[in-house]
Amino acid sequence: MTSTSRATVHGYPRQGANRQLKKATEAYWAGRTGADALLDAARELRSQRWAELRDAGVDDIPSNDFSLYDHVLDTAWLLGAIPARHAAVAQGLDRYFAMARGTADVPPLEMTKWFDTNYHYLVPELGPDTTFTLDPTKPLTEFAEALEQGILTRPVVLGPVSFLLLAKDPTGSAQPLDLLDRIVPLYADLLGQLRAAGAEWVQLDEPALVTDQPEAVLERVAEVYAVLAAERVRPKILVASYFDRLGDALPVLAAAPVEGLAIDFTGPAAANLDDLAALGGIQGKRLVAGVVTGRNIWAADLAAALGALERLQELAGTVDVAPSCSLLHVPLDVTLERDLDPEVVSWLSFARQKLAEIVTLRDGLVEGRPAVEEALRRNADRLASRAASPIVRVAAVRDREEAGVRRNRPYEARRQAQQDRLGLPDLPTTTIGSFPQTADLRKARAELRAGRLSDEAYQEAMRAEIRSVITDQEELGLDVLVHGEPERNDMVQYFAEQLDGFLATRHGWVQSYGSRYVRPPIIAGDVSRPAPMTVQWSTYAQSLTPRPVKGMLTGPVTMLAWSFVRDDQPRGETARQVALALRDEVADLEEAGIAVIQVDEPALRETLPLRTADRAAYLDWAVTAFQLATTGVRDDTQIHTHMCYAEFGDVLRAIIDMDADVISLEAARSQMAIVADLAAATYPNEVGPGVWDIHSPRIPTTNEIVGYLRTATADFPANRLWVNPDCGLKTRGYPEVRATLANLVAATTRVRAEA
Ligand code: GLN
Ligand code: ZN
């Protein structure tokens, strides 16, 4: 038994209660303020965050978890891994932001999702020629700042193995871990310098170890940590992992000569507890036990967490209490949500509330359960209030009859019925849904919210936009039109606001990337659709034209992926409820005469579990949810889906099983490579490989699109191919949209004539 347990966190939300960091960085980028103003604001913010953690009772406080943009970018900077194109254009802070955002002349680093969270990091570019040089200014400065404030922090740095596994070699010539020997000495140097500055502990994050890694990688992990641990002058090393179970990496880390491990024991990572027990624990080491989820917003079950901690005490030298991962993945403070029902607020736990939870758990561990009896009782009351709430469990939703998940007839038969109804040519042209979200549209929405625009005036503004979008598409000669989604602030939020069971926050900002923050909705209870959500817009658009207008919905997997999801039932069950609500919408669209309905699932692939072994079960409920949403229709109603990526190997089987009549995918950036892949997999239905990379402002020429289409028709039957852009057009401007779509139609006409 131990009585030395401490409360700690891996990291804390970065932008501040008043969004100070976002404002300061954007002011700097806009040239309204200088570098000093930004750096001062950042320093002030760090100081506030440390004070806040200390005042909340956190014993072991991190530093270097703060970032002006992204912690992976910070690590590339720390190691001097700066691409020549960025080194050439700017100095200091501007060089850092050139890597993050690009400049007029050079593109930024690529951005991608941080594991299975909705945070995006910048992908370091490394190659055989990269020369690494240590620049420890940031961790050293932040450590010194905190020390000056009287707080001895634990610097947090992304570890060498994960850093390399998250990086990429644009030339493709190096294996990521080839570079380990070059960066490990820099880490050793950093450890020495942190120790000299007074650091007692350093945290090296190795989240890549919760994904499947070959034995060769795990051998390198063992080697690297043996080398670092052999440094004579260094702080104690805490190796941290989070987001899933460690699996085969657990015995490797347990055997490493480091002083501590931070392990996630929540969600799919709960299995780490039994795995650790099976191993006989990590006696003699410090365990930082992540027993409160750092990535969802529900109040923890404190009694259960305390039970896990008590069990863990038998398995480690000391047990400290922590959230499972950095709190940067949750909003700051639920008490700011004055518009939410106070009872609902009591079920929720944002970053500040999570601090209170870990402090209570620490007290329970150190002083025994009686010392925290009162807190445990209050917690149990909250959990009971949530479990019994009529918001959470709605009989009408639960009693709903299970619907069929197959179309009446197979695709070939539907195809005939759809052709008879729609009469489309080969290579039908269409778009993915959104047209440019103009400043006027955003202004109209802001005015509506502020009460300066009446409901009717807003509706009329949207209808005017729809009229103009329909006219444009008719003039351009597109075959299947869209209404343009002018009324949507966001493809998830728009539906979340109209579905029962979803809650919206006012201040629940979570970092998506850089200075961009989102407010994910919360799925709190059983989901249903009180009224049609899109029918009026789609039918209005359809009333303006004889050509088919596609109805446009966001699919169940994407609705879950970009929300905080309830934790009291399996995700598959929540997805099923969302799917049934969408099924109602699909039925109403069909009933209103809409012949083509698209259900977008851009998040299908990014939601794949980190561990391969968990993927089949996920894809099973994901596909079932899509089918539930889309299979209640007649044979002659055409179902489309859309996904915005080309590397879909992991989900190809699932895409086929979804059985949408048509799928549109990103393809332009990979020169249509996807079409050959689909042909090789004998993809049975229709596909629209994107011919315009909408992430780039470049307007593809007619010849270029002709080239794409010839490639596609060489590999795949033309009567099952569609022509469309890679993704929605909401971020583009009208001049480029019109020019590109004109080229797209011209190219299609030419290729049709060749057939
Ligand atoms: N229908 C949406 C749009 O066109 C799809 C967006 C997406 O795939 N992310 O904007
Ligand atoms: Zn897309």
Side-chain angles (χ1 to χ4, degrees):
M1 286 297 265
T2 162
S3 60
T4 58
S5 293
R6 294 185 293 167
T8 188
V9 297
H10 297 270
Y12 204 58
R14 291 167 179 162
Q15 73 162 344
N18 302 314
R19 317 190 70 199
Q20 300 94 306
L21 184 60
K22 178 188 175 68
K23 291 174 193 162
T25 11
E26 290 179 352
Y28 175 70
W29 293 339
R32 291 197 302 274
T33 54
D36 285 350
L38 172 56
L39 297 177
D40 286 349
R43 191 178 317 109
E44 172 65 28
L45 191 51
R46 287 193 291 269
S47 161
Q48 280 174 22
R49 290 160 81 247
W50 285 317
E52 181 175 335
L53 291 170
R54 181 195 56 207
D55 297 345
V58 176
D59 310 288
D60 185 15
I61 294 176
S63 59
N64 201 46
D65 63 310
F66 177 83
S67 179
L68 286 176
Y69 201 96
D70 163 48
H71 56 274
V72 182
L73 173 60
D74 293 340
T75 316
W77 188 274
L78 170 79
L79 301 171
I82 296 167
R85 68 177 185 282
H86 301 121
V89 292
Q91 292 298 318
L93 203 50
D94 292 331
R95 181 179 288 175
Y96 177 85
F97 287 132
M99 291 169 76
R101 315 170 62 226
T103 66
D105 305 315
V106 295
L109 295 176
E110 195 181 291
M111 191 165 68
T112 195
K113 274 168 69 94
W114 175 243
F115 299 91
D116 58 351
T117 71
N118 290 324
Y119 176 85
H120 300 75
Y121 72 93
L122 289 157
V123 183
E125 283 174 23
L126 308 173
D129 304 328
T130 307
T131 47
F132 296 97
T133 42
L134 186 70
D135 177 355
T137 313
K138 179 177 184 290
L140 285 175
T141 309
E142 293 187 14
F143 180 79
E145 281 172 14
L147 202 56
E148 186 137 319
Q149 202 173 326
I151 298 176
L152 177 67
T153 56
R154 179 183 86 243
V156 177
V157 182
L158 182 60
V161 176
S162 294
F163 173 74
L164 291 180
L165 290 174
L166 294 172
K168 69 165 195 181
D169 174 3
T171 69
S173 54
Q175 290 295 312
L177 294 190
D178 288 353
L179 301 170
L180 260 180
D181 295 340
R182 286 195 238 161
I183 66 169
V184 168
L186 275 64
Y187 275 87
D189 186 357
L190 174 67
L191 296 188
Q193 296 198 45
L194 286 171
R195 181 69 200 117
E200 291 179 0
W201 281 91
V202 65
Q203 173 174 329
L204 296 176
D205 281 4
E206 293 288 9
L209 300 182
V210 306
T211 60
D212 297 340
Q213 295 297 347
E215 205 168 313
V217 169
L218 297 179
E219 279 166 18
R220 297 307 311 269
V221 171
E223 252 172 67
V224 164
Y225 283 93
V227 169
L228 291 177
E231 280 299 302
R232 264 187 330 105
V233 181
R234 63 167 177 87
K236 292 178 184 144
I237 298 173
L238 176 72
V239 180
S241 64
Y242 31 82
F243 300 145
D244 211 326
R245 55 189 176 277
L246 278 163
D248 293 341
L250 181 62
V252 175
L253 292 179
V258 297
E259 288 75 16
L261 300 183
I263 301 179
D264 181 349
F265 295 102
T266 66
N272 278 325
L273 209 164
D274 284 339
D275 292 352
L276 193 62
L279 209 66
I282 44 168
Q283 310 298 342
K285 277 193 175 48
R286 171 188 186 189
L287 173 65
V288 171
V291 290
V292 162
T293 179
R295 51 187 302 191
N296 207 340
I297 43 62
W298 300 104
D301 180 339
L302 293 181
L306 197 50
L309 289 165
E310 286 158 357
R311 204 176 145 206
L312 288 166
Q313 279 192 315
E314 311 294 323
L315 299 174
T318 58
V319 175
D320 291 340
V321 187
S324 62
C325 60
S326 169
L327 295 175
L328 93 96
H329 303 295
V330 291
L332 187 61
D333 190 347
V334 75
T335 65
L336 304 173
E337 300 299 333
R338 307 253 156 67
D339 295 349
L340 286 182
D341 176 349
E343 186 183 351
V344 172
V345 168
S346 80
W347 308 339
L348 301 173
S349 176
F350 292 0
R352 281 183 176 151
Q353 288 70 45
K354 287 179 193 292
L355 298 183
E357 291 177 341
I358 59 165
V359 165
T360 299
L361 290 168
R362 174 206 61 199
D363 292 344
L365 207 52
V366 174
E367 298 164 33
R369 285 192 182 226
V372 291
E373 205 176 353
E374 175 59 24
L376 291 183
R377 220 199 43 248
R378 270 203 315 272
N379 174 250
D381 287 348
R382 291 170 172 196
L383 300 182
S385 125
R386 180 176 164 209
S389 165
I391 300 176
V392 174
R393 297 180 73 86
V394 180
V397 177
R398 302 210 153 242
D399 296 346
R400 184 167 172 168
E401 292 280 307
E402 190 58 68
V405 296
R406 292 259 168 261
R407 296 287 294 265
N408 289 335
R409 289 198 289 163
Y411 163 74
E412 272 307 330
R414 294 177 338 235
R415 174 178 166 78
Q416 194 53 55
Q418 290 163 21
Q419 269 175 359
D420 292 347
R421 179 173 182 193
L422 297 170
L424 296 170
D426 277 358
L427 300 172
T429 53
T430 191
T431 59
I432 306 305
S434 57
F435 268 65
Q437 270 284 333
T438 58
D440 283 348
L441 291 173
R442 280 196 294 270
K443 184 154 165 265
R445 226 180 331 277
E447 302 268 286
L448 174 73
R449 263 199 315 273
R452 286 193 295 270
L453 195 66
S454 71
D455 246 337
E456 294 85 274
Y458 176 75
Q459 307 256 335
E460 179 42 35
M462 296 303 120
R463 278 196 297 269
E465 183 71 13
I466 291 173
R467 285 194 294 277
S468 121
V469 167
I470 293 287
T471 309
D472 268 354
Q473 294 173 91
E474 287 191 317
E475 281 171 12
L476 285 160
L478 290 157
D479 298 307
V480 173
L481 313 192
V482 296
H483 79 286
E485 305 179 24
E487 77 288 2
R488 303 200 186 165
N489 35 17
D490 170 270
M491 66 184 288
V492 167
Q493 195 186 335
Y494 178 77
F495 292 97
E497 282 170 0
Q498 300 186 70
L499 288 168
D500 283 351
F502 279 80
L503 304 175
T505 68
R506 276 175 78 95
H507 307 281
W509 296 105
V510 179
Q511 191 174 12
S512 171
Y513 63 89
S515 73
R516 202 183 140 95
Y517 287 74
V518 295
R519 277 179 306 182
I522 298 171
I523 309 181
D526 290 342
V527 175
S528 61
R529 187 202 66 147
M533 304 181 284
T534 64
V535 177
Q536 61 152 325
W537 306 119
S538 290
T539 48
Y540 179 67
Q542 186 65 81
S543 75
L544 303 169
T545 176
R547 301 184 188 213
V549 174
K550 259 197 287 193
M552 196 59 60
L553 306 173
T554 301
V557 174
T558 303
M559 290 298 298
L560 261 63
W562 297 346
S563 303
F564 287 115
V565 181
R566 56 193 293 187
D567 61 353
D568 58 348
Q569 66 184 17
R571 279 172 183 254
E573 175 56 24
T574 306
R576 198 186 71 90
Q577 294 179 353
V578 175
L580 288 173
L582 291 168
R583 188 180 176 98
D584 295 343
E585 185 75 10
V586 169
D588 283 347
L589 285 167
E590 178 178 72
E591 175 71 26
I594 301 299
V596 182
I597 301 169
Q598 178 170 311
V599 178
D600 291 324
E601 281 293 22
L604 186 94
R605 182 172 177 276
E606 65 180 49
T607 311
L608 268 184
L610 295 173
R611 290 286 186 182
T612 319
D614 301 330
R615 293 187 178 169
Y618 156 72
L619 288 172
D620 191 50
W621 66 250
V623 169
T624 302
F626 182 84
Q627 292 187 331
L628 266 179
T630 54
T631 54
V633 293
R634 305 194 309 247
D635 290 339
D636 66 353
T637 297
Q638 189 171 63
I639 297 292
H640 289 218
T641 188
H642 165 71
M643 301 181 188
C644 5
Y645 38 82
E647 307 80 26
F648 68 128
D650 298 335
V651 295
L652 178 57
R653 191 63 244 168
I655 289 176
I656 293 174
D657 291 345
M658 283 162 71
D659 197 25
D661 298 301
V662 183
I663 181 169
S664 58
L665 292 152
E666 173 191 306
R669 279 195 278 190
S670 50
Q671 330 294 312
M672 301 280 120
I674 198 172
V675 181
D677 297 345
L678 286 166
T682 59
Y683 179 73
N685 303 7
E686 293 162 56
V687 60
V691 294
W692 177 22
D693 173 9
I694 60 93
H695 299 98
S696 144
R698 247 188 84 252
I699 296 171
T701 62
T702 303
N703 280 336
E704 204 174 325
I705 299 176
V706 166
Y708 286 149
L709 294 180
R710 284 189 187 138
T711 307
T713 51
D715 288 328
F716 204 87
N719 65 0
R720 289 198 283 125
L721 278 172
W722 287 62
V723 185
N724 47 257
D726 268 347
C727 195
L729 308 176
K730 59 183 164 241
T731 58
R732 304 265 54 110
Y734 266 104
E736 46 186 331
V737 163
R738 290 199 184 101
T740 306
L741 293 179
N743 292 351
L744 180 151
V745 171
T748 306
T749 310
R750 206 190 299 167
V751 175
R752 275 180 194 149
E754 290 170 3

